[in-house]
Amino acid sequence: MSDVVEKTLTALPSLLSLDSQPGSAKLSSTSKLGALIRGITELTSKHEEEKLIQRELASLKDQVSSPNTSMRQMKEAMVRAIYCEMLGYEASFSYIHAIKLAQQGSILDKRVGYLAVTLFLNENHEFVLTCYDYKHIIPIIIYCVYDTCNTPLVEEKLNHPKEIIRRKAVLALYKFYLIAPNQVQHIHNRFRKALCDKDPGVMFASLHIYLQMIKGYKDLTASFVTILKQVVSGKLPMDFNYHSVPAPWLQIQLLRILSILGKNDQSTSEIMYDVLDESLKRAEINHNITYAILYECVKCIYTIYPKTDLLEKAAKCIGNFVLSSKINLKYLGLKALTYVVQQDPKLALQHQMTIIECLDHPDVIIKRETLELLFRITNAQNITVIVEKMLEFLHQSKDDHTTIDLVGKVAEIAEKYPLQTMNTVFSLGGDMIQPDIPNSFLKLLSEGFESEEENKKLRLFAVDSYILLLEGETRNLPQRFLQVISWVLGEYSHLRNDLDPARVMTLLTKLLEMRQTSSETKTWVLMAMTKLCSGEASVSIARSVCEDLSSSMDTVQRQRAHELLLLSQDRALRSQLLPLCSDPEPLEVDSSLSFLDAFVSEALAAGAAPYKPPHQRQEELAQQKALSLEPYELSLPINMSSSCVTGRQSPTLMSVSSGLSGDSAELSHKGGSTTLKLEGVKRVWGREGYLSKKEPVEEVAQAEIPSPLSSPNQHTGASGTSSNTHPPIPTPEPEQEKQQLASSLFVGLGSQSSLCLVRADIYALHVAVFQYSLSVIRPVVHFEVMGMLSYQSSHKSHEVEFTYKLPLTNFIRPFTVSTEQYGAMWLAFSNDTKQNLNLVTDGQDSLTDTLNVLKGKLNLHIVEIIGMEGIVACRLAQDQPCLLHCHIHAGTLAVWLRSPVPDLPDSLLYHCQRALEGT
Amino acid sequence: MSLPIRFILIQNRAGKTRLKLIEEVHAVVTVRDAKHTNFVEFRNFKIIYRRYAGLYFCICVDVTDNNLAYLEGIHNFVEVLNEYFHNVCELDLVFNFYKVYTVVDEMFLAGEIRETSQTKVLKQLLMLQSLE
């Protein structure tokens, strides 16, 4: 391959002038390739495609193996074979021909062969293995199948006079290095030579290798610093500039190398402080590529041995990223924060509001990164909230990799903070968690860790935190958690010397009195009390509890209460039965209950019926049909639901002006009628449905529902029926709660006002009409209106979410200004964006035609058209303007948008692009 | 072995895709909102993508790589295509797919960005073109 390039390069000067429009040469419609592509694009089914390609492959096979095929035909066949492979069909018969083509014929033939080989083969392909002997094809496959190649051949090319070849050779060696690092060890001095190559491109290529093995090259630090200094100060040829930033990718590569070199090494780090400072200073231009450099720079500064003033500058830079309105920058800011937060937790504190906002961000990747960040700053105080957020995300996550990663992180936190994590898991997982989870947690507590000291600390901490919990609101704690709490308090309260058992008893009594407490939990509580009741106060509490429960319908509870009463009075027996701090010696359990044998045989002899296991009893009962075990059928007053519906119907259809904001939640209770709650796009629904009290932190569009109104049976199409009959118990699982009800929505916008109308058809029985106003706070391409519809049918309440997309164009109005006013405003506006757009070319005057399309589709005002230039103006509904400057440039419409509102130019540009796309 | 760039994909919005991987990428990228970031997690990697009219340019890299550097890498590539095809459109890419491969080959190699200078790439492409 390299000699191909060599030959072509020597021929370059004479060839350059030949073709002025290289890429645009279109395929002739009669060519086989053109026909194939056109054929494929016209097909509608996978099956047809398969048939067509199989036919094509068969004819290709004939063609390539025929001795009469000319070079030109072979080339053409190769390209078609590439196309088939691209669609996922194997054209393995052509591989050997591709290799052959790459060796013979003209430069162009070789080129096509090379391209085919690079696309057909990779290092894992079995064909490559069979090629080991083909020494002569090595130069061809070198670029795709590096490991089949001898290094000397490539080494030779490192000294080639042409830079492009030296460069490819360096990259080839880089690939060798990745495959087999030991085999290129002897030529490390060659890499150094490449690094010092007079051509920056070759030097750039060598950096890939150095990034991989840089640790052994501390002595090169000064060289890298010098190179970066030269690049940053613009010493490279202009060719390397990208949007007037000098060789940005090269800078990034160098910064990465420097950060590896300077890590944990003060003296090496000191060499690079100056150039890092310079890099930060130079990266001023407002462009993505400078941000990319800055990001790398910040990472480097935080990786190497720290220097205070650089750290300050880097922190400021991260702050700018995090607060940026550009979403990509915000993301990078979060990423940088995650990277530095362990060294500098204060930085996360500074941005806590932004971080909280990002937790609810609609873009999953931002949410994920925020969780990652939170994971890094987990401590004993915030663990509950963080684990909660992670579990919340896990609930929604559908991606396996994310789930695995997050579960791993929760587990990691659980290891560091077992108690706190488990508390969170208990209170969140509620009664849904598997019963063995609390059991194994209790086992962990009782068996403990290696050190006795640690155990005591953990247990004391558990006692303290549970006392605290019980002193607060206990009504929402899941039963399993209450059981764990009771056990822990019963077992370990005595560890805390200053804790009066009577106080714990009183707290536990509260649990017994709660209506929600299940009878199973009550027995746990009673057991705990039995362990605790020492001292006069405790005994008297125990006595009153027992009195209450002595008449309980639950025999187990009665039994436990009885035990409690007896044991509280007989201290000696109690301490024998329930010794304090029992050693974790394994208890011998006689599971066959052999100690009862004597009792049983005595009873049998006295005529008692033999014992039957429950399932046997059940079976016998069913056979005898002695008892109906089926639950009673529900008997509901059937006329109830219909009367409810008629009762709610209101005979008038009204619309209420948007200024009135009624309390929708209240209304929904009073009237039992439909309530529509709409909030801004940034809103994420909480587990309780909509969160009416909390205001969203950032809202794009805001809507208030004045009052729900209904009109009688206007709509008869049964479009929205739901078969869901779940009772409205407030379970913590939002999934269960949600039901999908198809709501037909209709949105209309008045031409002058910003009023919007949403109509929701509920159960096809009546129609509710709401009007509300939307105002744009921050422009985006599409506004998402999200809403929650809650309604009642008979005794059940339902909630339905809906979303609707409003394009920005709904808010755009023409803006009539004079050219002078336009000129004055143009200079004053700071947010701008530029882009080349398609021109409408079928008419006489393409500029006017194009602008008219924009005017028609987007509601813009054309201020003036002068020659090849046109100025256009529009505004958002609340009169924030956006100005467009358009001129024809090289067959496209070059548009420059400016506005005082950030994001407006970008969002509007998107719609301009769309408007002109079809033309 | 760690190569930063795993694959580069160009897909249109309709995405009549035939291969499983391409289908997956299409599914994760096209559902994203215009106001979202240009990045998305994909298996153990991440995809940096950018939309130009109806076309999505996707590049799959290591999670530790610099997002914006690749985002601009895509843009640099598109600017070259635009220059090479003189106002590139989707059909240019469909019918001249092998030329697109040539451009990729000039700009990316061994999983790395090989050439970033538009002038140099275009010079080389022009030279190859003149051979036809």
Side-chain angles (χ1 to χ4, degrees):
Chain A
M1 179 58 214
S2 18
D3 29 351
V4 177
V5 180
E6 189 184 342
K7 277 182 203 158
T8 44
L9 278 172
T10 44
L12 189 63
S14 61
L15 292 167
L16 268 177
S17 54
L18 286 179
D19 197 342
S20 58
Q21 286 212 348
S24 57
K26 294 277 189 294
L27 281 172
S28 74
S29 55
T30 51
S31 84
K32 282 182 182 170
L33 177 63
L36 173 63
I37 297 174
R38 220 162 282 127
I40 289 287
T41 46
E42 280 160 12
L43 292 181
T44 50
S45 80
K46 174 90 184 159
H47 180 67
E48 284 174 356
E49 175 194 299
E50 217 169 293
K51 269 199 331 212
L52 185 83
I53 295 285
Q54 290 310 340
R55 255 202 328 268
E56 186 72 26
L57 285 175
S59 88
L60 270 176
K61 199 170 182 175
D62 286 345
Q63 199 183 338
V64 292
S65 46
S66 152
N68 300 327
T69 309
S70 72
M71 274 304 203
R72 190 180 178 80
Q73 286 165 325
M74 188 59 108
K75 252 181 343 208
E76 205 265 346
M78 246 351 116
V79 175
R80 273 186 290 147
I82 295 176
Y83 190 74
C84 295
E85 285 255 334
M86 188 172 82
L87 294 186
Y89 298 87
E90 207 183 73
S92 50
F93 59 84
S94 55
Y95 297 173
I96 188 69
H97 297 283
I99 292 178
K100 272 194 210 152
L101 189 66
Q103 299 167 50
Q104 46 190 253
S106 71
I107 295 160
L108 187 65
D109 301 334
K110 285 184 174 168
R111 176 80 205 174
V112 172
Y114 157 72
L115 195 64
V117 174
T118 56
L119 292 169
F120 289 156
L121 302 180
N122 64 54
E123 64 245 57
N124 300 320
H125 199 285
E126 56 175 39
F127 188 82
V128 172
L129 302 175
T130 64
C131 282
Y132 261 104
D133 299 330
Y134 287 45
K135 273 261 161 62
H136 51 286
I137 62 159
I138 284 163
I140 320 295
I141 52 176
I142 183 170
Y143 302 109
C144 60
V145 220
Y146 304 85
D147 58 345
T148 58
C149 176
N150 291 330
T151 43
L153 242 160
V154 185
E155 270 185 78
E156 232 170 71
K157 299 293 177 233
L158 283 174
N159 294 325
H160 201 277
K162 295 280 179 262
E163 66 84 13
I164 192 162
I165 289 161
R166 292 202 301 276
R167 192 169 190 180
K168 281 201 168 187
V170 171
L171 277 170
L173 285 180
Y174 163 61
K175 190 78 196 256
F176 289 157
Y177 178 82
L178 291 178
I179 293 164
N182 298 332
Q183 285 187 14
V184 285
Q185 225 143 39
H186 62 287
I187 46 168
H188 279 197
N189 60 331
R190 299 275 193 156
F191 297 153
R192 202 175 278 236
K193 211 179 147 208
L195 181 68
C196 304
D197 198 286
K198 61 181 184 296
D199 184 85
V202 181
M203 182 265 291
F204 184 22
S206 75
L207 293 185
H208 296 310
I209 302 172
Y210 277 109
L211 188 62
Q212 298 292 326
M213 52 171 214
I214 191 60
K215 284 211 179 99
Y217 289 90
K218 291 266 181 189
D219 57 318
L220 284 178
T221 311
S223 314
F224 289 122
V225 167
T226 319
I227 297 171
L228 183 58
K229 228 173 236 165
Q230 285 172 353
V231 177
V232 169
S233 52
K235 298 267 162 61
L236 287 189
M238 289 292 278
D239 275 2
F240 289 90
N241 283 11
Y242 174 75
H243 289 252
S244 47
V245 179
W249 290 278
L250 179 57
Q251 288 191 44
I252 289 167
Q253 200 77 346
L254 283 166
L255 286 166
R256 299 186 112 180
I257 289 176
L258 288 184
S259 69
I260 299 173
L261 283 171
K263 193 172 184 178
N264 302 326
D265 185 339
Q266 187 175 0
S267 58
T268 311
S269 297
E270 276 164 1
I271 309 175
M272 48 187 93
Y273 287 151
D274 277 350
V275 74
L276 288 174
D277 196 31
E278 184 75 16
S279 287
L280 279 181
K281 256 187 234 149
R282 292 270 179 167
E284 277 168 339
I285 307 161
N286 182 12
H287 193 280
N288 268 343
I289 199 69
T290 31
Y291 299 132
I293 298 172
L294 275 178
Y295 174 72
E296 215 58 59
C297 222
V298 166
K299 267 180 87 173
C300 181
I301 289 170
Y302 272 95
T303 312
I304 63 171
Y305 190 86
K307 184 173 188 240
T308 322
D309 71 314
L310 275 181
L311 284 178
E312 272 168 21
K313 282 177 191 169
K316 207 175 139 220
C317 200
I318 293 177
N320 289 342
F321 275 26
V322 172
L323 296 173
S324 168
S325 61
K326 289 187 174 130
I327 190 76
N328 287 339
L329 283 191
K330 203 182 226 21
Y331 175 72
L332 277 202
L334 285 173
K335 251 184 126 54
L337 261 187
T338 311
Y339 189 78
V340 308
V341 80
Q342 269 155 338
Q343 290 179 50
D344 197 353
K346 265 190 294 182
L347 208 52
L349 271 179
Q350 271 173 33
H351 299 293
Q352 48 182 324
M353 277 328 287
T354 321
I355 295 170
I356 287 167
E357 273 169 42
C358 289
L359 258 185
D360 272 349
H361 201 278
D363 190 347
V364 184
I365 198 163
I366 295 225
K367 256 192 189 172
R368 272 279 280 136
E369 194 56 47
T370 317
L371 284 180
E372 188 78 40
L373 172 60
L374 291 179
F375 169 69
R376 303 275 173 108
I377 55 166
T378 310
N379 58 34
Q381 282 86 49
N382 61 16
I383 174 159
T384 318
V385 195
I386 291 177
V387 172
E388 184 180 342
K389 287 287 172 199
M390 288 172 121
L391 293 177
E392 207 173 89
F393 190 87
L394 265 178
H395 259 300
Q396 297 159 1
S397 165
K398 289 180 201 79
D399 180 68
D400 287 349
H401 289 282
T402 318
T403 311
I404 292 166
D405 184 58
L406 266 183
V407 168
K409 293 211 160 106
V410 175
E412 201 174 305
I413 296 181
E415 252 164 53
K416 271 194 248 164
Y417 309 97
L419 200 73
Q420 293 94 325
T421 315
M422 288 318 285
N423 287 354
T424 317
V425 172
F426 284 138
S427 18
L428 286 171
D431 294 322
M432 307 295 286
I433 53 173
Q434 299 293 321
D436 57 326
I437 295 177
N439 286 348
S440 52
F441 173 62
L442 294 183
K443 203 161 158 239
L444 175 87
L445 269 182
S446 63
E447 286 173 2
F449 304 98
E450 306 269 298
S451 106
E452 199 49 44
E453 191 59 26
E454 280 290 301
N455 281 342
K456 195 174 171 198
K457 247 167 74 187
L458 183 64
R459 288 168 190 165
L460 271 177
F461 185 76
V463 170
D464 288 348
S465 66
Y466 291 158
I467 293 273
L468 209 68
L469 260 176
L470 289 190
E471 280 170 345
E473 181 56 69
T474 50
R475 233 174 304 163
N476 295 324
L477 295 177
Q479 298 299 319
R480 285 206 201 285
F481 194 24
L482 288 178
Q483 291 163 12
V484 169
I485 292 175
S486 311
W487 188 87
V488 169
L489 289 180
E491 202 74 11
Y492 298 119
S493 287
H494 66 88
L495 290 176
R496 169 84 52 231
N497 296 327
D498 52 353
L499 186 66
D500 180 9
R503 191 171 143 223
V504 187
M505 292 280 279
T506 320
L507 287 172
L508 289 172
T509 319
K510 240 174 57 188
L511 294 182
L512 286 180
E513 287 159 0
M514 252 167 26
R515 212 157 38 85
Q516 296 92 332
T517 314
S518 72
S519 53
E520 195 194 344
T521 310
K522 280 184 185 165
T523 57
W524 283 73
V525 173
L526 286 168
M527 261 324 280
M529 288 177 137
T530 316
K531 289 177 203 162
L532 280 167
C533 64
S534 59
E536 240 168 79
S538 307
V539 174
S540 80
I541 294 172
R543 197 171 297 136
S544 79
V545 166
C546 296
E547 268 166 31
D548 285 348
L549 287 177
S550 59
S551 58
S552 167
M553 297 290 280
D554 191 313
T555 45
V556 181
Q557 274 177 48
R558 231 163 45 217
Q559 168 77 16
R560 293 275 171 261
H562 193 60
E563 285 169 14
L564 170 60
L565 190 65
L566 287 180
L567 289 175
S568 66
Q569 283 154 4
D570 189 342
R571 189 176 295 183
L573 182 62
R574 195 175 68 90
S575 56
Q576 204 189 331
L577 265 179
L578 304 162
L580 284 183
C581 261
S582 55
D583 279 327
E585 276 172 23
L587 292 171
E588 288 287 332
V589 176
D590 183 0
S591 58
S592 65
L593 306 177
S594 58
F595 56 91
L596 286 174
D597 283 354
F599 175 80
V600 172
S601 53
E602 217 170 90
L604 283 173
Y611 174 75
K612 285 174 188 165
H615 62 92
Q616 198 185 340
R617 269 175 280 162
Q618 206 85 28
E619 257 169 46
E620 284 174 13
L621 277 173
Q623 277 164 11
Q624 291 166 10
K625 289 197 190 288
L627 274 173
S628 164
L629 295 171
E630 297 296 311
Y632 294 114
E633 273 179 41
L634 292 172
S635 68
L636 289 173
I638 292 159
N639 57 345
M640 196 68 165
S641 58
S642 58
S643 72
C644 264
V645 172
T646 41
R648 265 186 276 124
Q649 284 171 353
S650 140
T652 45
L653 173 68
M654 280 167 58
S655 58
V656 176
S657 87
S658 58
L660 290 166
S661 81
D663 186 345
S664 49
E666 198 191 352
L667 272 163
S668 76
H669 288 305
K670 262 194 229 156
S673 176
T674 48
T675 311
L676 197 64
K677 176 85 182 172
L678 283 154
E679 281 179 316
V681 70
K682 297 279 173 193
R683 238 21 223 117
V684 175
W685 297 102
R687 52 177 71 242
E688 327 57 5
Y690 69 82
L691 309 161
S692 53
K693 279 178 196 155
K694 286 184 243 163
E695 277 304 310
V697 192
E698 191 181 2
E699 277 182 296
V700 171
Q702 205 172 23
E704 283 276 51
I705 309 306
S707 158
L709 288 157
S710 48
S711 70
N713 310 328
Q714 278 207 336
H715 195 77
T716 47
S719 61
T721 48
S722 161
S723 57
N724 203 316
T725 52
H726 282 307
I729 299 162
T731 53
E733 299 299 306
E735 258 49 55
Q736 282 182 5
E737 194 85 343
K738 278 177 202 158
Q739 5 170 335
Q740 284 306 315
L741 176 82
S743 318
S744 49
L745 282 163
F746 159 81
V747 176
L749 270 157
S751 60
Q752 284 308 310
S753 71
S754 61
L755 278 181
C756 175
L757 184 77
V758 173
R759 191 181 70 187
D761 299 346
I762 300 105
Y763 266 3
L765 283 174
H766 60 250
V767 178
V769 178
F770 307 100
Q771 275 195 350
Y772 57 90
S773 69
L774 291 169
S775 58
V776 176
I777 293 165
R778 227 192 64 208
V780 289
V781 173
H782 290 287
F783 298 94
E784 207 164 308
V785 182
M786 292 172 84
M788 175 68 88
L789 185 68
S790 49
Y791 61 97
Q792 289 201 323
S793 66
S794 65
H795 291 299
K796 299 174 180 97
S797 62
H798 303 272
E799 282 181 336
V800 180
E801 274 182 31
F802 62 88
T803 57
Y804 188 79
K805 262 193 178 177
L806 287 171
L808 175 74
T809 43
N810 278 342
F811 298 89
I812 296 293
R813 309 280 176 270
F815 184 34
T816 322
V817 283
S818 68
T819 309
E820 289 72 37
Q821 285 168 320
Y822 181 102
M825 274 189 281
W826 180 262
L827 294 173
F829 295 166
S830 52
N831 301 292
D832 69 339
T833 188
K834 284 185 199 176
Q835 178 101 16
N836 289 350
L837 301 178
N838 288 349
L839 265 180
V840 178
T841 45
D842 35 31
Q844 291 257 311
D845 182 350
S846 50
L847 179 62
T848 316
D849 291 345
T850 313
L851 293 186
N852 278 336
V853 170
L854 289 178
K855 182 185 173 186
K857 287 193 180 171
L858 302 178
N859 224 350
L860 309 178
H861 171 70
I862 301 175
V863 181
E864 201 174 356
I865 297 178
I866 316 155
M868 302 293 269
E869 288 183 42
I871 51 178
V872 181
C874 68
R875 66 212 245 167
L876 276 176
Q878 306 92 326
D879 74 21
Q880 284 167 313
C882 183
L883 306 179
L884 293 86
H885 178 268
C886 315
H887 71 276
I888 294 188
H889 171 69
T892 57
L893 184 72
V895 198
W896 189 356
L897 294 94
R898 274 194 177 189
S899 169
V901 192
D903 299 330
L904 183 54
D906 283 322
S907 315
L908 188 62
L909 180 66
Y910 170 84
H911 287 286
C912 292
Q913 227 166 354
R914 287 282 305 273
L916 296 173
E917 226 167 67
T919 60
Chain B
M1 185 168 61
S2 70
L3 291 180
I5 302 176
R6 304 288 156 155
F7 58 77
I8 298 172
L9 269 181
I10 307 173
Q11 299 178 291
N12 71 3
R13 215 160 6 135
K16 253 198 264 168
T17 47
R18 281 100 176 168
L19 297 174
K20 195 167 173 296
L21 174 95
I22 301 178
E23 215 170 304
E24 273 178 51
V25 176
H26 189 263
V28 291
V29 169
T30 47
V31 293
R32 289 176 59 81
D33 200 284
K35 62 175 178 285
H36 285 177
T37 52
N38 291 73
F39 323 122
V40 63
E41 288 182 339
F42 181 73
R43 301 191 186 167
N44 286 332
F45 310 102
K46 64 186 171 195
I47 289 177
I48 319 267
Y49 69 94
R50 199 155 171 162
R51 190 181 153 167
Y52 294 88
L55 283 182
Y56 288 92
F57 287 73
C58 307
I59 190 161
C60 179
V61 294
D62 225 62
V63 276
T64 52
D65 275 306
N66 188 320
N67 296 40
L68 283 183
Y70 284 103
L71 189 65
E72 286 311 298
I74 294 176
H75 192 65
N76 196 23
F77 174 58
V78 172
E79 282 183 343
V80 169
L81 285 180
N82 198 43
E83 198 66 33
Y84 183 49
F85 286 104
H86 282 253
N87 275 320
V88 69
C89 71
E90 194 177 328
L91 279 183
D92 288 331
L93 303 188
V94 171
F95 282 98
N96 298 291
F97 68 93
Y98 56 100
K99 290 185 185 165
V100 180
Y101 279 129
T102 312
V103 181
V104 173
D105 183 62
E106 288 302 323
M107 299 186 72
F108 304 92
L109 191 63
E112 297 283 357
I113 295 176
R114 170 184 136 197
E115 180 59 86
T116 59
S117 159
Q118 296 185 11
T119 337
K120 287 193 170 195
V121 174
L122 285 166
K123 217 188 235 173
Q124 180 74 5
L125 289 170
L126 216 68
M127 183 274 291
L128 289 169
Q129 179 77 33
S130 65
L131 297 175
E132 277 186 24

